Amino acid sequence: MHLSVVLARGQVTVAWGYYNLASTSEIARTAYGPLIGRWSPSRTIGHFYDVAFTAGKAPWYPRLAAAPNGEVLAAWNACKSLTSCGFNQRGMVLKWRAPGRGFGVSQVVRAAPLGAVAQFDSRGTAYLHSNCSGRVLIAPAHSQRFSRTVMLTPGPALAMTLSLDGAGQGLAAWVAGACSNDPEAVGNTTGPVFVSLLRGGTFAKPQALTPRSTQAISDSAVAAPSGGTVSWYVNAANGVPEPFSSQIGANGLPGATQQGANAVIAFTADGRGDAVLEGGRAANTYGPGAPAPGPFANTLFVRPVGGGPDQPAPSPFGEAAAAPLGRAVALTWYHGPATLELSVWRP
């Protein structure tokens, strides 16, 4: 069972999907309520079909996003009908929930790529995009309608990432390759990395971040007011993925490429642009002349948006999450076999 959880304006919303052995499809359910207090009973909001044949490239379970005003959007893969799901899926089913109310009627957005997830910027504009497509759908704030479509690349894409850092501002990155629906038989198609700055609600012309000969297997992006950070992996000669990274300027152009131990891996950022990164030798964290890091020396750290030194996490490993609408980063990790620890970074 996969869970999706969002918190907005003191209200928690949880969505999950599960199998019903008496049905040919799976069931999407949700529950919501105050952070402290009594919740409403859980209820069914729709049905879907497990697309396990895509090896996770098109997640089937319902996933949530929360707008600054507390509005919540749930999205999951659509079926042509309950009796003909399977390979007949096309588009996404959406349900919206206003603060203090239940989810409304379903919307089927056939133009949305399978596995699409939603994000809101600081103004409440919603973006719907998928890991395996260069198509981005946009809904103006409070409209609940995805009325605009942007094609960042006409062909397929691999590891499409969209990071937002303000009203109509962000950074998109992707590999000019393709996802495989059967990676055991045929792997993903690798390729060069491209980026596009989002400014004033408009995506700039895509820029090649790597030479055309690059065979990147994945990428990630973190936006910042000055541009952002993009990192990617390429299989080295020994078959081990090697990291690369580049800083993207405010003009959308890349800086020098860092490789291996000098590369900075982009994870996420909070709603104000404080970036969560990982690096064996972060520029502001380790001084000049520091010894080269060992194989386990990579450190998660926060790079504050307003400047100042990088701030290393209390643990070199764990699960990091950033507040989408505020300034906070949380890290959880296991200390020993049974003790779960939590640390929260705030400016």
Side-chain angles (χ1 to χ4, degrees), residues 26 71 75 89 116 125-126 128 167-168 181 184 196 224 253 279 286 294 331-332:
E26 281 73 58
E71 196 171 44
Q89 296 172 110
T125 299
L128 198 62
N181 287 341
E184 293 185 1
S196 174
L253 298 178
Y286 303 95
L331 179 73
T332 58

Side-chain angles (χ1 to χ4, degrees), residues 9-101:
R9 292 184 175 269
Q11 288 281 313
V12 184
T13 305
V14 182
W16 65 96
Y18 69 93
Y19 293 96
N20 182 350
L21 297 180
S23 173
T24 58
S25 63
E26 281 73 58
I27 295 175
R29 290 186 72 85
T30 185
Y32 46 85
L35 186 60
I36 299 176
R38 186 180 297 275
W39 285 27
S40 65
S42 66
R43 62 196 65 190
T44 297
I45 60 171
H47 297 76
F48 57 93
Y49 185 81
D50 181 351
V51 290
F53 57 84
T54 65
K57 298 300 189 299
W60 44 270
Y61 55 93
R63 293 201 278 183
L64 304 171
N69 68 348
E71 196 171 44
V72 174
L73 172 59
W76 63 93
N77 289 339
C79 299
K80 186 176 180 181
S81 71
L82 282 181
T83 59
S84 63
C85 280
F87 291 88
N88 293 310
Q89 296 172 110
R90 185 164 57 90
M92 301 292 294
V93 176
L94 308 179
K95 274 184 177 285
W96 301 76
R97 184 174 86 84
R101 299 186 179 182

Side-chain angles (χ1 to χ4, degrees), residues 57-340:
K57 298 300 189 299
W60 44 270
Y61 55 93
R63 293 201 278 183
L64 304 171
N69 68 348
E71 196 171 44
V72 174
L73 172 59
W76 63 93
N77 289 339
C79 299
K80 186 176 180 181
S81 71
L82 282 181
T83 59
S84 63
C85 280
F87 291 88
N88 293 310
Q89 296 172 110
R90 185 164 57 90
M92 301 292 294
V93 176
L94 308 179
K95 274 184 177 285
W96 301 76
R97 184 174 86 84
R101 299 186 179 182
F103 281 94
V105 298
S106 297
Q107 299 176 19
V108 179
V109 182
R110 296 297 184 191
L114 285 176
V117 296
Q119 289 178 263
F120 289 92
D121 67 16
S122 60
R123 183 183 294 142
T125 299
Y127 301 80
L128 198 62
H129 63 92
S130 168
N131 183 62
C132 297
S133 174
R135 187 187 313 132
V136 180
L137 279 67
I138 302 174
H142 317 303
S143 68
Q144 298 190 355
R145 291 291 176 183
F146 285 90
S147 55
R148 179 181 163 211
T149 300
V150 176
M151 294 296 297
L152 292 175
T153 174
L158 175 66
M160 167 67 184
T161 305
L162 175 60
S163 176
L164 303 173
D165 73 324
Q169 295 196 161
L171 175 65
W174 64 93
V175 174
C179 297
S180 169
N181 287 341
D182 190 359
E184 293 185 1
V186 181
N188 294 331
T189 302
T190 58
V193 181
F194 283 78
V195 297
S196 174
L197 272 181
L198 174 65
R199 288 292 182 267
T202 300
F203 285 96
K205 181 181 178 180
Q207 301 285 335
L209 185 56
T210 65
R212 287 190 173 274
S213 59
T214 302
Q215 299 298 306
I217 59 176
S218 66
D219 72 272
S220 58
V222 169
S226 58
T229 302
V230 176
S231 56
W232 63 96
Y233 282 90
V234 174
N235 281 330
N238 60 2
V240 176
E242 183 176 15
F244 295 76
S245 67
S246 177
Q247 298 297 309
I248 308 301
N251 58 0
L253 298 178
T257 296
Q258 303 297 319
Q259 181 178 356
N262 292 316
V264 176
I265 308 305
F267 277 95
T268 186
D270 64 23
R272 293 291 299 275
D274 303 297
V276 182
L277 307 168
E278 181 187 59
R281 206 164 39 184
N284 296 336
T285 304
Y286 303 95
F296 301 103
N298 276 8
T299 300
L300 285 166
F301 60 93
V302 173
R303 179 163 289 169
V305 67
D310 295 336
Q311 301 181 16
S315 171
F317 53 86
E319 294 289 336
L325 304 176
R327 295 193 71 183
V329 174
L331 179 73
T332 58
W333 71 97
Y334 276 100
H335 182 76
T339 303
L340 183 65

